Amino acid sequence: MAWRRAGVAAEVVGIGRQPLDEAVRLGAIDRYVTDPAEGIAQADVLVLCAPVTTIIEQARRFARYVKPGAVVTDVGSTKLEIVWAWEEYLPAGASFVGGHPMFGREVTGVQNATPDLPKGCRWVLTPGRRDTPEALARIAALAEAAGGAVRVMSPVEHDDRVAVISHLPQVVATALAAAALQCENEMGGVLDLAAGGFRDTTRIAGSSAEIWTDIFLTNGGGVRAALASFRESLDALEAAVADGDAEAIAAIFARANEARRRLPT
């Protein structure tokens, strides 16, 4: 939607397993095809939008249809395994630039999309060994046209960093919501008292299990490292509460407040 509004593509063609009439009606694409070979072969830029393991599998099945000179990118939330797979199968003369636009919603479907979602987001690009400066510049220009602020890093750097800032929040929100449901089942009347704090903290607990299972399994090392850091902070806060140590509690809050102040606007 953002690219069509910005006029950066002569035509946006959707490739789907089923008719994409709703996407056409809502202005996300100009037209669609249901044959991947047909759609991929004519694309100057191919954007892969699917769960992470599906994007990885698509390399083996569909990379051979990419034409010379074309650039492939994606929107997957982990990068290392995706970049490996597409670089292995991509034909000579084509390039793959890993991409992760850091925006989205906890609900899925084109009906929940708007052209303003990418505005101001960090759009991470993770070039691999086979990328060219021209291919990277091409995808960076598209990201900026959609309103994104481009950040370039290696796939490993990306996966380690987003494990903290994206994957860990999903783990925490999911675990918190599940714990609240357990308490609701045990004592009742818990969820009835939920207000803004609980709703804000658990908003992403409504996310797709299919998408997030893929993310956790393809970035297990990063997620476990982020959980270890979180567990350390949680243990410190628990110890301070157990000891009645107001000063230690205040110090943890001070660090949390500092993190919030340093978030990009």
Side-chain angles (χ1 to χ4, degrees), residues 190-202:
V190 173
L191 296 177
D192 180 61
L193 300 178
F198 183 83
R199 292 181 184 276
D200 292 345
T201 307
T202 60

Side-chain angles (χ1 to χ4, degrees), residues 106-122:
E106 74 279 10
V107 288
T108 59
V110 68
Q111 69 274 12
N112 294 303
T114 73
D116 295 319
L117 275 176
K119 187 177 181 180
C121 81
R122 272 38 178 182

Side-chain angles (χ1 to χ4, degrees), residues 136-158:
L136 179 61
R138 194 173 189 181
I139 301 304
L142 283 174
E144 291 168 352
V150 173
R151 299 290 185 270
V152 180
M153 61 191 71
S154 74
V156 172
E157 289 173 327
H158 167 275

Side-chain angles (χ1 to χ4, degrees), residues 36 59 65 91 103 105 134 146 150 159-160 164 187 190-191 196 204 216:
Y65 300 124
F103 72 90
R105 302 178 65 187
E134 293 78 16
V150 173
D159 287 0
D160 287 345
V164 177
M187 68 180 77
V190 173
L191 296 177
I204 56 175
F216 293 157

Side-chain angles (χ1 to χ4, degrees), residues 1-181:
M1 291 178 178
W3 285 332
R4 293 186 75 235
R5 184 169 67 180
V8 296
E11 186 178 43
V12 179
V13 180
I15 305 172
R17 293 170 295 182
Q18 55 205 19
L20 303 176
D21 298 294
E22 183 73 352
V24 174
R25 186 184 71 79
L26 293 172
I29 58 178
D30 292 294
R31 62 183 179 88
Y32 64 85
V33 296
T34 56
D35 177 10
E38 176 189 352
I40 293 169
Q42 63 185 283
D44 298 310
V45 175
L46 177 66
V47 185
L48 307 166
C49 305
V52 171
T53 56
T54 301
I55 293 174
I56 293 169
E57 174 63 16
Q58 285 172 337
R60 182 185 64 80
R61 297 173 59 198
F62 302 135
R64 64 183 181 272
Y65 300 124
V66 177
K67 67 183 182 181
V71 184
V72 183
T73 189
D74 75 302
V75 300
S77 295
T78 66
K79 295 269 67 81
L80 186 58
E81 292 192 26
I82 289 176
V83 172
W84 278 350
W86 275 86
E87 288 200 327
E88 178 180 356
Y89 289 100
L90 202 62
S95 300
F96 183 85
V97 179
H100 183 194
M102 303 289 291
F103 72 90
R105 302 178 65 187
E106 74 279 10
V107 288
T108 59
V110 68
Q111 69 274 12
N112 294 303
T114 73
D116 295 319
L117 275 176
K119 187 177 181 180
C121 81
R122 272 38 178 182
W123 197 307
V124 183
L125 300 181
T126 60
R129 294 166 298 175
R130 292 181 50 186
D131 282 329
T132 65
E134 293 78 16
L136 179 61
R138 194 173 189 181
I139 301 304
L142 283 174
E144 291 168 352
V150 173
R151 299 290 185 270
V152 180
M153 61 191 71
S154 74
V156 172
E157 289 173 327
H158 167 275
D159 287 0
D160 287 345
R161 290 168 178 170
V162 298
V164 177
I165 213 67
S166 176
H167 306 167
L168 179 61
Q170 184 65 57
V171 172
V172 173
T174 300
L176 174 58
L181 181 61

